[in-house]
Amino acid sequence: MKLRVVLSLFISALFFVSVNAQETTDEDIAERIKPVGKVHVAGAAPVAAAGPRSGKEIYDSACVACHTSGVLGAPKLQVAADWQPRLDEKGFDQVWKNAVNGINAMPAMGTCNSCSEDDIKIAIEYMIEGI
Ligand code: HEC
């Protein structure tokens, strides 16, 4: 007796699952398997492309490798002595343009494939903040 009740419960559960499965549309499946976020590889560090990023986030993911220690003469983060002469000589817009196009050992866009020119701009603004 008891077994029969358990069995019928089991069968109705199975039926419920199969009905549900049939209701799954292609859109549901596409929704479920779509990528959570796109990931770009810029230099060595992966950069999440989703949403607007702060200058610090861009710096930390794309510029930090060279600009923290001053690799190959890169002007160091928020070090006035490194930045002020460049800004005085060229002006902010030219410095920004050079970062976009590359200059000497500074690679174009700092190798940040997912960055827009404005992203580069806010990263520079962060790099010269408080100098
Ligand atoms: C592979 C190392 C490297 C990476 C990565 C890098 N830089 Fe640079 N950057 C340099 C070097 C080296 C210089 C100095 C170039 C020179 O003036 O000779 C420089 C210079 C600059 C300058 C000054 C340009 C000028 O005209 O004086 C800016 C602005 C700049 N980088 C921004 C960035 C930003 C923003 C990022 C990240 C998105 C970045 N860099 C990533 C190496 C790097």
Side-chain angles (χ1 to χ4, degrees), residues 59-125:
Y59 175 83
D60 284 346
S61 60
C63 325
V64 68
C66 299
H67 283 273
T68 296
S69 52
V71 172
L72 301 165
K76 294 187 283 298
L77 177 68
Q78 293 164 2
V79 172
D82 288 1
W83 283 103
Q84 204 59 61
R86 292 171 186 269
L87 295 169
D88 288 347
E89 190 190 320
K90 311 175 203 182
F92 181 87
D93 284 354
Q94 185 61 43
V95 165
W96 174 25
K97 201 171 153 213
N98 290 343
V100 167
N101 297 324
I103 177 173
N104 302 323
M106 163 70 199
M109 306 294 276
T111 70
C112 178
N113 300 322
S114 63
C115 286
S116 67
E117 294 187 9
D118 281 342
D119 288 338
I120 299 297
K121 184 180 184 183
I122 60 170
I124 300 169
E125 283 167 354

